[in-house]
Amino acid sequence: MTQILLKGGNVFDPAHGSILNRHDVLIEDDRIIQVSATPIDAPAAQSIDVTGKTVMPGLIDCHVHVLASIANLGLNAVQPNVLAAIRALPIMKAMLDRGFTTVRDAGGADWGLSHAIATGLVPGPRIFPSGRALSQTGGHGDFRPRSDVLEPCSCAFRAGAIARVVDGVDAVRLAVREEIQKGATQIKIMASGGVASPTDPIGNTQYSEDEIRAIVAEAEAAQTYVMAHAYTGRAIARAVRCGVRTIEHGNLVDREAAGIMRDHGAFVVPTLVTYDALARDGARLGLPAESVVKIQTVRQAGRDSLRIYAEAGVPMGFGSDLLGEMHNHQSDEFRIRAELLGNLEAIRSATSIAAAILQREGELGTVRVGALADLIVVDGNPLADISLLAGQGKHLALVMQAGRLYRQTT
């Protein structure tokens, strides 16, 4: 039994938007066992004075690709497996340095990578892997260039691939079962065109409704859910009506589609920082020219979409969706969210709302008795200054994951 006592910090509860001044937090092994306004007597515990600092839940990013070490996803998919895995190590470590103790990988990461982190073999955020995202032929996960001959897709055979191409109701059912057997904790599909893929206009819808319903049915049979890459209101509405639970990106939503999401209890995970990064650095880092052209179609629309979601009452999770060297901009998503929605909502997107998306309410994204001891200690009050959560984690005095002290400067 290992105990750690965080003494005298200001405990931030994002769900209620409140700060409990000068509270002690006692951790035993991987759980929080006591939060108290009066000093906790725990003589066997390692005591850490965090007076004047903010104790809050570890951050959660609901849309990452930890294996996307190259901005050109087609090239990323054909690099050697060992190289893809090794290149992921500094990406994951840097996420943990920024205070992200949990991520949901939206295509690429598998059980092996999440197990390596869970067992302490390598440092990184706890991963909820989607395995390979499912894409139709010519969809957002199909990175084959246009040609007069369509060669068989080898996209699912290397570690750097974020997706697999699969078509037809029976085939997608099997694909879902295979990804879940391999350890996927949720299923990702491509339900519209996208920026990073070469041959699918953003306005396209992808997969038939019968295929989407079959995917959803198989996921629900395995007691999990489906997340869908979708940009337009048309793609969003048809995916949600077919049972998709979370919409990824959603930049071109309209009010009708947002209302459908609200009525069906769906979530959205905007990923605004990636468009800023792609516009600035994408071409230099190897993003194909046809993808660079698509960026402006969705960049400003993404910012406008936040107001539509907020007015409709659709809960928004935190996502970054960065590629290659652009992973360094992960925490800058906080600045964008805060500018448009305020500091509290920006923080909730990466804590309490993100935990609800992961179906881990009460366990992640909170500082309460019984929760996992995923905690960060901030030098200052992020409710007053969101920049304390931005950058590379320089304002974090402590990062704890499942009761293990990963980083401590206090």
Side-chain angles (χ1 to χ4, degrees), residues 155-224:
C155 51
F157 299 107
R158 291 189 181 272
I162 70 163
R164 58 189 290 185
V165 172
V166 56
D167 299 283
V169 169
D170 289 342
V172 296
R173 284 189 182 278
L174 175 59
V176 172
R177 293 172 185 174
E178 287 177 342
E179 294 304 326
I180 288 173
Q181 192 278 339
K182 292 188 291 183
T185 53
Q186 64 284 323
I187 296 298
K188 164 80 176 295
I189 69 169
M190 307 303 193
S192 84
V195 170
S197 42
T199 64
D200 57 331
I202 286 172
N204 286 11
T205 58
Q206 296 179 8
Y207 277 132
S208 69
E209 293 190 10
D210 285 345
E211 288 169 312
I212 297 174
R213 288 193 179 96
I215 292 166
V216 168
E218 290 298 328
E220 290 180 347
Q223 302 181 78
T224 188

Side-chain angles (χ1 to χ4, degrees), residues 21-33:
N21 291 320
R22 295 194 62 81
H23 275 56
D24 287 2
V25 179
L26 182 61
I27 297 101
E28 184 172 289
D29 296 329
D30 65 345
R31 299 279 170 172
I32 298 170
I33 64 168

Side-chain angles (χ1 to χ4, degrees), residues 57-99:
L59 305 173
I60 303 168
D61 190 331
C62 290
H63 193 118
V64 303
H65 297 284
V66 298
L67 282 164
S69 58
I70 300 174
N72 184 320
L73 291 175
L75 295 178
N76 196 78
V78 297
Q79 63 180 316
N81 291 350
V82 172
L83 190 57
I86 291 173
R87 283 176 167 166
L89 300 182
I91 291 172
M92 296 187 298
K93 179 180 181 297
M95 288 180 175
L96 194 54
D97 280 330
R98 297 182 201 109

Side-chain angles (χ1 to χ4, degrees), residues 104 128 185-188 216 219-220 223-227 243 245-246 357-359:
R104 183 179 63 162
F128 285 76
T185 53
Q186 64 284 323
I187 296 298
K188 164 80 176 295
V216 168
E220 290 180 347
Q223 302 181 78
T224 188
Y225 66 92
V226 176
M227 54 192 289
R245 184 168 172 270
T246 78
I357 288 172
L358 297 177
Q359 300 177 319

Side-chain angles (χ1 to χ4, degrees), residues 11-16 20 24-27 30-36 55-57 352 355 360-375:
V11 175
F12 177 32
D13 179 358
H16 296 94
L20 307 174
D24 287 2
V25 179
L26 182 61
I27 297 101
D30 65 345
R31 299 279 170 172
I32 298 170
I33 64 168
Q34 195 172 351
V35 179
S36 175
V55 180
M56 62 179 286
S352 55
R360 295 294 189 275
E361 303 99 316
E363 187 174 39
L364 297 173
T366 186
V367 185
R368 68 171 68 171
V369 173
L372 276 170
D374 278 18
L375 301 169

Side-chain angles (χ1 to χ4, degrees), residues 300-352:
Q300 182 57 47
R303 284 167 159 79
D304 297 339
S305 74
L306 296 194
R307 181 175 293 105
I308 296 174
Y309 291 122
E311 290 175 353
V314 178
M316 292 175 266
F318 185 103
S320 58
D321 191 33
L322 293 158
L323 310 172
E325 295 175 22
M326 292 174 277
H327 279 106
N328 284 337
H329 302 295
Q330 180 182 28
S331 297
D332 291 338
E333 179 77 12
F334 282 113
R335 299 182 193 272
I336 301 171
R337 299 286 183 103
E339 178 184 343
L340 299 169
L341 299 172
N343 291 3
L344 178 58
E345 287 307 311
I347 295 168
R348 281 175 171 160
S349 74
T351 52
S352 55

